[in-house]
Amino acid sequence: MARQTAISINPIQMGPLGIIGMPGCEELTDKIDKYLVKWRRTQASEHAESIAFFGDQRDTYKIDVSIPRFGSGEGKGVINESVRGYDIYIVCDVFNYSCSYDMYGRKVYMSPDDHFADLKRVISALCSKPKRVSVIMPMLYEGRQHKRSSRESLDCAMALKELVHLGVENIITFDAHDQRVQNAIPDKSFENVMPTYQMIKALVNNVEDLNVDKDHLMIISPDEGALHRCIHAAVHLIEPYAKKAGLPVRFAATKIVEKDSLIEKRLALPEG
């Protein structure tokens, strides 16, 4: 039997797709929406009239929401269209400090706590009507407060529990400070996507005076927690030289980070 690929499989969707962009994520949400509209028009077009694929092809997947504020600074979430039976994805950037609101006649910039409160308001306004709710949070809220060192709060674990309690099924984040925080919600989906390749690609494509060689490029770790990422990047840079020298790639990368001159000589890294 021939191996089936994603191209030859047309899974029945959970429900009509809906995307909600929180304050500060409007531009990103627009890009996602335009990509999906274009992509879905070329996928499974033969099922366009099937009830099982209802809502699969639309002009936009964005859901109209608003978060008005009272003069006191208090807010509320409002869903301006029906989302019954939908598969909802909420995009939320809790560290966007360019967003603001008026409180007692003064302009107040939103903190991560304000963004997270708005996220909970919108989820609450959904009233459990969608079939599934997923949250895409590029930088995890309170991700750096992932463990307790003394008498202090476990804010990240509490935030994850709050989202799950409100009905969130999937939480998707990028490069979490410590992905073991998912232990707070062991029966729910927690996706930690590593954007290492995308960051290196963007760096190479956008920095004109970048020279990727041992004389001009140095990979450093800002702290012990990022040391494994430093080694990971070094592995990809020296992999062909390590294989040619007959050395384990991981071992060679570690020695390069440690500035081992013997290993550097054996790898025969090119000058310039």
Side-chain angles (χ1 to χ4, degrees):
M1 180 179 178
R3 178 178 178 270
Q4 289 184 317
T5 65
I7 298 177
S8 60
I9 297 176
N10 296 314
I12 297 178
Q13 57 186 2
M14 174 68 69
L17 176 64
I19 306 173
I20 297 176
M22 298 297 293
C25 292
E26 295 86 357
E27 184 179 350
L28 174 60
T29 305
D30 286 341
K31 289 183 179 180
I32 295 173
D33 180 59
K34 290 177 181 178
Y35 177 86
L36 289 175
V37 169
K38 182 179 179 180
W39 182 73
R40 285 200 168 190
R41 282 177 179 169
T42 63
Q43 300 294 318
S45 57
E46 66 273 16
H47 300 297
E49 303 301 324
S50 172
I51 188 65
F53 288 83
F54 171 75
D56 186 69
Q57 297 183 22
R58 306 200 305 273
D59 293 333
T60 182
Y61 298 102
K62 293 189 295 183
I63 302 298
D64 184 18
V65 303
S66 57
I67 310 174
R69 292 271 179 176
F70 299 100
S72 61
E74 297 170 299
K76 65 177 180 179
V78 181
I79 308 296
N80 298 315
E81 57 184 282
S82 174
V83 291
R84 187 182 297 274
Y86 274 55
D87 187 11
I88 297 293
Y89 286 82
I90 305 175
V91 184
C92 180
D93 181 9
V94 295
F95 287 88
N96 191 323
Y97 54 86
S98 66
C99 303
S100 62
Y101 59 90
D102 292 329
M103 183 172 67
Y104 296 113
R106 294 185 177 182
K107 186 177 183 180
V108 179
Y109 286 98
M110 294 180 66
S111 69
D113 292 341
D114 292 323
H115 282 289
F116 190 70
D118 280 352
L119 173 63
K120 291 188 290 184
R121 290 184 178 109
V122 169
I123 296 173
S124 177
L126 293 172
C127 302
S128 300
K129 294 301 187 293
K131 278 190 177 181
R132 181 174 64 182
V133 177
S134 303
V135 172
I136 301 175
M137 194 178 292
M139 191 168 180
L140 188 62
Y141 174 70
E142 289 289 357
R144 284 174 287 190
Q145 187 54 26
H146 63 287
K147 64 181 180 180
R148 176 177 287 155
S149 300
S150 60
R151 288 187 290 273
E152 56 190 28
S153 57
L154 289 171
D155 295 82
C156 190
M158 290 192 299
L160 294 177
K161 282 183 172 293
E162 282 186 272
L163 293 179
V164 168
H165 179 72
L166 288 170
V168 174
E169 290 290 333
N170 304 305
I171 298 172
I172 305 169
T173 190
F174 297 88
D175 194 8
H177 187 73
D178 190 337
Q179 62 179 345
R180 288 174 294 183
V181 74
Q182 65 185 293
N183 292 336
I185 49 169
D187 57 339
K188 295 296 179 180
S189 174
F190 182 91
E191 296 284 346
N192 182 41
V193 183
M194 294 300 297
T196 308
Y197 170 75
Q198 286 76 13
M199 292 180 67
I200 294 177
K201 181 179 178 181
L203 186 67
V204 171
N205 290 337
N206 293 282
V207 181
E208 296 181 357
D209 59 346
L210 178 66
N211 293 319
V212 184
D213 57 62
K214 66 175 185 177
D215 294 325
H216 299 87
L217 179 66
M218 177 182 293
I219 302 173
I220 64 172
S221 169
D223 53 39
E224 185 181 355
L227 184 59
H228 68 284
R229 299 176 207 170
C230 176
I231 296 175
H232 178 75
V235 163
H236 288 284
L237 291 174
I238 69 165
E239 184 175 4
Y241 304 103
K243 289 183 177 179
K244 187 176 180 180
L247 294 172
V249 180
R250 184 86 180 176
F251 168 79
T254 304
K255 292 300 180 181
I256 287 294
V257 172
E258 295 174 355
K259 293 291 184 180
D260 191 312
S261 59
L262 293 177
I263 296 298
E264 288 181 355
K265 185 176 180 180
R266 184 171 174 182
L267 288 174
L269 297 175
E271 294 291 341

